[in-house]
Amino acid sequence: MLMSPKMVEFMDACRAISDESGLRDVLRDMTGELGFNQYALLHHVDLAHPPAHSITLMGYEDGWMERIIRNRYFQDDPILAASNRRLTGFGWREVSDIIRLSRRQRRILHEASTHGLRDGFTVPVQVAGEYRGTCSFASDHPVELTADIIGSAQLVGTFCFEAARRITNLASGSPSKIPELTQRQLDCLVHVGSGKTSWETSVILGVSEDTVDKHISSAMERYGVGKRTLLVVRALFDGQLSYRDMLRLH
């Protein structure tokens, strides 16, 4: 699925999204494609009184949402707590290995399971100067997290979060400016986005590995991100990279 026509269709759809309703439709569709049936795309804020322009797109059962807000579970949510210690996505069965669960957090996980949240996968999102965020996919049954599902969920989560950021920026009247990347930086990103290492990219482009790393680091600085994955997603979303170019490299 990671390098599939369905994923290309998803990315094209994300670029065309202009409102929250459209994003919900796309996210709901991709949640099912990944093998899950519920989702949550949100900034780590007070969900009872979310700040203006924060992202809170919830696809959980209404009953669970009511409990989250009434009992202020979002303050101690073990999934959100674990995401603060990870740079990449993680399965919910890993949570107890990532953080030490308190009694309240164990109760939250137990209660969540009674609302169809038995298993899941969460993608942390961190953009400099903004609230921490996550995109979570949940299921009422165990899900086998294959390498393809993990990679696809990571991409879907970050791409949908970027779509949400764009919608929020437009609503606030302050659309974000697209950073300008050099052609050499883009050349490196195409290969990195297709799964090549810095060394493999250096051989293909006929430059040193250190030069590739410098190009990527400079591009990350221009975008204000700390992960290559998020850099590729942001560049794809902004139209500076073509997913089809990366497909041709395989």
Side-chain angles (χ1 to χ4, degrees):
M1 182 180 179
L2 186 57
M3 303 295 283
S4 68
K6 179 65 179 181
M7 191 62 75
V8 174
E9 179 185 338
F10 156 71
M11 290 183 172
D12 288 342
C14 269
R15 293 192 185 97
I17 290 171
S18 59
D19 55 32
E20 183 178 302
S21 177
L23 179 55
R24 281 187 180 276
D25 290 341
V26 169
L27 186 51
R28 186 183 304 112
D29 178 49
M30 293 309 295
T31 296
E33 288 288 334
L34 291 168
F36 300 94
N37 51 27
Q38 297 189 61
Y39 64 84
L41 184 79
L42 72 157
H43 275 132
H44 298 185
V45 296
D46 183 342
L47 296 182
H49 305 285
H53 311 312
S54 61
I55 296 169
T56 53
L57 202 63
M58 308 292 283
Y60 289 161
E61 291 181 2
D62 291 341
W64 180 236
M65 286 303 305
E66 292 172 3
R67 293 188 68 82
I68 288 175
I69 294 174
R70 183 173 66 251
N71 299 323
R72 302 190 71 81
Y73 281 165
F74 53 83
Q75 293 181 327
D76 304 289
D77 190 312
I79 305 301
L80 302 188
S83 73
N84 291 336
R85 299 192 180 185
R86 292 292 295 263
L87 293 176
T88 56
F90 58 92
W92 289 4
R93 279 168 278 179
E94 301 177 56
V95 170
S96 61
D97 296 324
I98 299 173
I99 62 172
R100 184 175 181 178
L101 293 169
S102 66
R103 181 177 300 176
R104 177 175 167 84
Q105 288 174 325
R106 292 183 185 279
R107 185 170 68 250
I108 291 173
L109 288 176
H110 173 72
E111 290 187 21
S113 69
T114 66
H115 289 269
L117 305 175
R118 291 185 56 198
D119 199 7
F121 186 83
T122 291
V123 180
V125 180
Q126 175 61 38
V127 178
E130 298 184 13
Y131 299 113
R132 288 181 178 273
T134 46
C135 182
S136 294
F137 305 98
S139 172
D140 56 6
H141 60 272
V143 175
E144 181 183 1
L145 294 176
T146 63
D148 186 57
I149 291 298
I150 291 173
S152 297
Q154 185 82 40
L155 193 58
V156 170
T158 48
F159 226 81
C160 283
F161 209 94
E162 185 62 18
R165 291 181 68 248
R166 179 170 60 83
I167 293 170
T168 302
N169 285 334
L170 288 174
S172 67
S174 58
S176 57
K177 182 180 178 181
I178 298 176
E180 183 177 349
L181 300 183
T182 68
Q183 186 57 53
R184 212 48 169 167
Q185 289 171 341
L186 293 173
D187 290 341
C188 291
L189 273 183
V190 167
H191 292 286
V192 169
S194 69
K196 299 291 190 301
T197 64
S198 291
W199 178 82
E200 290 172 325
T201 300
S202 70
V203 172
I204 295 169
L205 298 180
V207 297
S208 70
E209 184 176 354
D210 184 58
T211 296
V212 171
D213 287 335
K214 287 181 178 178
H215 282 313
I216 298 299
S217 295
S218 179
M220 288 167 59
E221 289 177 4
R222 293 188 183 193
Y223 262 101
V225 299
K227 295 187 292 184
R228 292 188 175 197
T229 302
L230 187 53
L231 171 63
V232 171
V233 168
R234 296 284 299 277
L236 279 166
F237 194 90
D238 289 339
Q240 301 208 63
L241 289 182
S242 168
Y243 197 66
R244 292 172 178 83
D245 287 340
M246 291 189 287
L247 282 172
R248 283 197 290 270
L249 298 178
H250 285 257

